């Protein structure tokens, strides 16, 4: 959507310029073609810019945007030149040339490499060249624009200054472009793809400059008319080179273009100069018939056509290293098509040996290194394969795996050996064998070998076109070696072992994800259980209890909760669990006062212990059965709480055997929280708790606050209960009027949380509306305690005053 919007903006700018040219020409001339044709050509250019790259080429979005702006600027310049010469059209044309030049420089700074060992220097990504070129074009655009918009202010301005500024800006931006290209070519000459693009852009820009200067010199057109066009053409060449889908194709197109320019440009310029000078008689052609000029033009066209036929042959001479290695890679790839694996390897290596300098004394031949078994395969001068044991460094395979096209070049490794010390041993290994480039040979499962090409006397770095040819050869050899390995059977066993290792790795990853999900589920459930304790903790007693429980939970030792009747000990135990280091583990809950034991196989278990009543024969049989349950590795609450916390409610109700077992056998990875109605010492004194369990619990006891000591929390607790009850019963929360609230605040609540929940539930069941009042409380028989009589002096008794104070704070 954004690219479509950008196109319409660019098309509008080009159409506006063409319309201005059409209006200036009085509605006649080529401006009509510009108005109708340039937006369509611009659409084709935008579509070409958006083409996806081929292979491992990468193109940054910023480079694509810059190329689109460059095409827009060139189209604006062409539209401005379709009309008569005027200050307004000169300003628009110079603006288009400026956009094209600066956008090309921006795209040049955003050329993306193929990755691997080499990284682009930070200096090559700066936009200083574009900023420098903008200085030239600012004057070239401002002078004609001011002269056209405000003629009074530019009355004393020499008209030639506009032409001088235009020529200077064109030459200056061209010079900046050439310098930026030369600097980038030096800095990133080893990067595959980048070097090809930059070299093509440099040579095309230099060619455009040479042609433009020559045309201006011979008088084909004035400098101020032809140099902006030259600058725009060079900018378009640079932009197209930066976003071409295939960098190797750019290199091939460059060679053909240079060959064609070298052959066709001189005769074309000569004929243009002759035709241009003929009317003035400078060449002695005054009075010459028009047929003579036509013959000259026809001859020039014939020469250009012949140059086009001869251009491919000349282009091959411009190929790197005389196209020797390109031809060798193609020949070796064709030779590897032999259906016999051994013959295919021999003929492929022989073709590579012929192209290398292996005939020179001391020159190493091309070699194929196999990984399993570790061997080195070469071909001698007679064409016979030789195999010898050789081990390829594992680090060499790893580096080649992440290089572009899986080809490791020695010049790239040498460029980074200072900042990457792990490359130095590999360089020594490669230098010892005179290897210049290593191509990884893969099959469907992974690397199986490496093809080493000797360095020889080569001085120039490899191009992307050569690397692509080597990649095609390595892929073909990989297929050949895979067939040979499958015949031997060893490759099959290796693949099976690798698959088994990968399967185990996936299983480990799956189990790790399951553990992480279980930890999140345990935390969520524990937080839900702890909500009643945190929902209304405003009173000092509740805040002090929570802080003390969190502190003991962080310490990690056993915690004893002293609970009064009706207090929800599970919520306070969940607070201890969440503040401990085992919060990601389970919270296993055991009810010691339950009448019969149950299994403990739940992921978040709520277990039950033996009855508190141990009388008669039934009690004698129940205790051993409960002890067996606690020792069972499958159903024991201790096993269910592994990595988490074990919360025991009414621990004094457990049998003596179970209590003694807990005190002695509780593992270190299980936290312990017990809820008892009295202190540990009092329970031991009355014989309700084992001394071993008491020693394990120690003196880390916290007395849970009753509702009588939480006057500040009563209002919030009551409203929280009513909200949850109302949502369950009617889908909306219940409210509490002021008189009913006063009754709740004045009640001592001896049954604590259980009593309050029961009273409010009963009141909600008889309520007709959404508000619980005194009528509903009276209907269920709830009445606040009678107020004490007032003394004759008018002073209330102390308990009544305290309740009044609590009620005022809660309101």
């Amino acid at each position: 959507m954004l690219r479509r919007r950008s196109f319409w903006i660019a098309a509008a700018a080009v159409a506006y310029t063409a319309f201005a040219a059409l209006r200036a020409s009085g509605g006649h001339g080529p401006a009509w073609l510009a108005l109708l044709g340039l937006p369509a050509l611009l659409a084709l250019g935008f579509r070409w810019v958006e083409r996806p790259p081929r292979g491992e080429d990468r193109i940054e979005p910023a480079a694509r945007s810059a190329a689109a702006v460059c095409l827009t600027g060139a189209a604006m310049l062409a539209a401005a030149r379709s009309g008569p010469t005027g200050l307004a059209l000169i300003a628009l044309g110079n603006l288009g040339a400026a956009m094209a030049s600066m956008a090309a420089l921006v795209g040049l700074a955003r050329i993306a490499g193929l990755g691997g060992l080499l990284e682009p220097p930070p200096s090559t990504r700066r936009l200083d060249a574009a900023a420098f070129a903008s200085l030239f074009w600012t004057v070239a655009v401002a002078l004609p624009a001011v002269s056209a918009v405000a003629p009074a202010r530019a009355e004393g301005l020499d008209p030639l200054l506009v032409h001088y500024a235009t020529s200077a800006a064109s030459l200056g931006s061209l010079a900046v472009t050439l310098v930026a290209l030369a600097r980038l070519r030096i800095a990133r000459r080893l990067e595959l793809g980048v070097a090809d693009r930059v070299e093509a852009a440099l040579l095309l820009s230099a060619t455009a400059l040479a042609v433009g200067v020559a045309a201006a010199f011979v008088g084909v057109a004035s400098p101020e008319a032809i140099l902006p066009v030259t600058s725009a053409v060079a900018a378009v060449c640079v932009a197209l080179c930066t976003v071409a889908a295939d960098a190797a194709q750019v290199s091939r197109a460059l060679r053909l273009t240079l060959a064609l320019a070298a052959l066709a440009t001189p005769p074309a310029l000569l004929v243009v100069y002759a035709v241009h000078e003929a009317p003035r008689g400078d060449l002695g052609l005054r009075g010459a018939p028009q047929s003579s000029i036509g013959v000259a033009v026809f001859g020039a066209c014939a020469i250009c056509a012949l140059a086009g036929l001869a251009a491919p042959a000349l282009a091959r001479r411009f190929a790197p290293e005389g196209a020797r290695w390109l031809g060798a890679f193609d020949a070796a790839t064709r030779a590897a098509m032999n259906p016999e694996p051994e013959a295919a390897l021999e003929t492929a290596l022989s073709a590579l040996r012929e192209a290398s300098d292996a005939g020179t004394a001391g020159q190493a031949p091309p070699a194929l290194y196999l990984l399993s078994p570790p061997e080195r395969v070469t071909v001698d001068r007679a064409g016979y394969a030789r195999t010898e044991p050789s081990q390829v460094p594992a680090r060499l395979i790893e580096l080649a795996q992440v290089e572009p096209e899986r080809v490791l070049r020695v010049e790239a490794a040498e460029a980074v050996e200072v900042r990457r010390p792990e490359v130095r041993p590999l360089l020594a290994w490669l230098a010892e064998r005179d290897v210049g480039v290593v191509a990884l040979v893969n099959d469907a499962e992974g690397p199986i070998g490496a093809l080493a090409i000797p360095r020889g006397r080569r001085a120039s770095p490899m191009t992307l076109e050569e690397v692509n040819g080597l990649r095609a050869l390595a892929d073909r050899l990989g297929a050949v070696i895979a067939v040979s390995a499958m015949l031997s059977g060893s490759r099959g066993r290796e693949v099976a072992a690798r698959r088994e290792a990968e399967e185990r790795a996936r299983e480990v990853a799956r189990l790790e994800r399951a553990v992480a999900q279980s930890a999140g589920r345990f935390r969520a459930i524990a937080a839900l259980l702890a909500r009643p304790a945190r929902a209304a903790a405003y009173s000092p007693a509740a805040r002090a209890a929570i802080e003390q429980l969190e502190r003991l939970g962080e310490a990690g030792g056993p915690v004893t909760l002293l609970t009064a009747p009706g207090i929800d000990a599970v919520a306070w135990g969940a607070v201890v669990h969440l503040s401990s280091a085992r919060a990601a583990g389970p919270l296993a809950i055991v009810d010691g006062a339950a009448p019969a034991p149950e299994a403990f196989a739940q992921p978040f278990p709520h277990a039950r212990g033996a009855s508190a009543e141990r009388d008669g024969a039934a009690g004698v049989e129940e205790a051993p059965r409960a002890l067996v349950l606690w020792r069972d590795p499958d159903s024991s609450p201790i096993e269910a709480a592994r990595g988490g916390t074990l919360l025991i409610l009414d621990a004094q109700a457990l049998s003596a055997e179970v209590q003694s077992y807990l005190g002695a056998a509780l593992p270190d990875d299980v936290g312990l929280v017990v809820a008892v109605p009295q202190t540990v010492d009092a329970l031991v004194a009355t014989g309700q708790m084992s001394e071993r369990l008491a020693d394990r619990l120690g003196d880390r006891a916290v007395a849970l606050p009753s509702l009588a000591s939480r006057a500040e929390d009563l209002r919030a607790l009551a409203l929280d209960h009513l909200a949850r009850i109302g949502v369950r019963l009617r889908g909306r929360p219940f409210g509490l009027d002021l008189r009913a609230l006063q009754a709740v605040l004045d009640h001592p609540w001896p049954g604590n949380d259980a009593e309050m929940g029961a009273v409010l539930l009963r009141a909600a069941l008889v309520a007709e509306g959404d508000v619980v009042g005194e009528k509903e409380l009276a209907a269920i028989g709830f009445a606040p305690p009678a107020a004490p009589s007032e003394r004759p002096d008018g002073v209330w008794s102390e308990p009544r005053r305290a309740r009044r104070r609590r009620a005022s704070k809660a309101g």
Side-chain angles (χ1 to χ4, degrees), residues 288-466:
Q290 293 295 328
S291 58
S292 301
I293 300 177
V295 170
V297 173
F298 179 79
C301 293
I303 294 175
C304 291
L306 294 176
L309 295 176
L314 182 61
R316 286 192 291 271
R317 310 295 287 177
F318 292 156
E321 296 287 326
R324 180 186 61 177
W325 280 111
L326 288 175
F329 294 151
D330 291 340
T333 303
R334 290 191 299 270
M337 296 294 180
N338 193 314
E340 180 63 32
E342 300 297 333
L345 290 178
E346 288 183 1
T347 53
L349 293 177
S350 297
L352 292 177
R353 183 185 178 91
E354 292 176 1
S356 67
D357 300 327
T360 308
Q363 179 67 46
L368 177 63
Y369 291 87
L370 302 178
L371 301 183
S372 179
E375 296 176 343
R376 177 175 179 263
V377 181
T378 58
V379 173
D380 57 16
R381 296 182 180 179
Y384 294 102
R386 293 187 177 184
T387 303
E388 56 184 359
S390 181
Q391 187 77 32
V392 178
R395 185 59 179 166
L396 178 64
I397 301 299
E398 295 175 3
L399 289 180
Q401 189 75 24
V402 298
E403 280 292 289
E405 301 293 344
R406 299 190 298 276
V407 174
L408 177 62
R409 297 164 296 144
V410 171
E411 59 261 21
E414 291 174 346
V416 300
E417 65 174 329
V418 175
R419 54 186 175 88
R420 298 192 61 173
E422 72 273 13
V423 177
R424 298 170 190 168
L426 298 180
L427 285 175
W429 188 87
L430 295 172
E432 181 181 354
R433 292 157 179 79
D434 193 28
V435 176
V437 60
V438 175
L440 203 60
V441 179
N442 286 14
D443 65 358
E445 302 296 333
I448 58 175
L451 179 62
I453 305 299
R455 192 169 192 174
R457 295 189 298 270
R458 177 169 184 147
S460 61
M462 290 190 71
T463 63
L464 180 59
E465 192 175 0
E466 293 175 295

Side-chain angles (χ1 to χ4, degrees), residues 60 97 169 280 306 319 321 337 403 418 548 714 717 772 805:
E60 292 189 5
R280 295 195 296 267
L306 294 176
E321 296 287 326
M337 296 294 180
E403 280 292 289
V418 175
Q548 190 175 2
L714 292 179
L717 285 173
V772 175
R805 188 181 304 113

Side-chain angles (χ1 to χ4, degrees), residues 688-739:
Q688 299 181 65
M689 181 169 286
S690 168
E691 291 185 358
R692 183 173 292 176
L693 179 58
D695 293 339
R696 185 65 179 261
L697 295 176
D699 57 351
R700 291 175 290 274
V702 178
L704 301 182
S706 62
L707 292 185
S709 62
R710 300 173 62 185
E712 294 84 350
D713 302 338
L714 292 179
R715 178 178 179 273
L717 285 173
L719 293 177
D720 181 69
H721 278 294
L722 285 174
R724 288 186 281 116
I725 291 171
V727 171
R728 292 193 193 111
L729 295 180
R730 301 182 184 178
R732 55 188 182 276
F734 278 104
L736 192 67
D737 67 10
L738 293 179
R739 292 184 180 275

Side-chain angles (χ1 to χ4, degrees), residues 532 565-568 707 714 716-726 728-729 734 744 747 749-765 772 777 780 782:
I567 295 179
D568 185 9
L707 292 185
L714 292 179
L717 285 173
L719 293 177
D720 181 69
H721 278 294
L722 285 174
R724 288 186 281 116
I725 291 171
R728 292 193 193 111
L729 295 180
F734 278 104
V744 170
H747 191 69
W749 300 109
N752 293 300
D753 299 317
E755 180 184 2
M756 177 179 283
V759 168
L760 295 177
L761 176 60
R762 291 167 53 205
L765 290 174
V772 175
L777 294 178
I780 64 172
F782 176 84

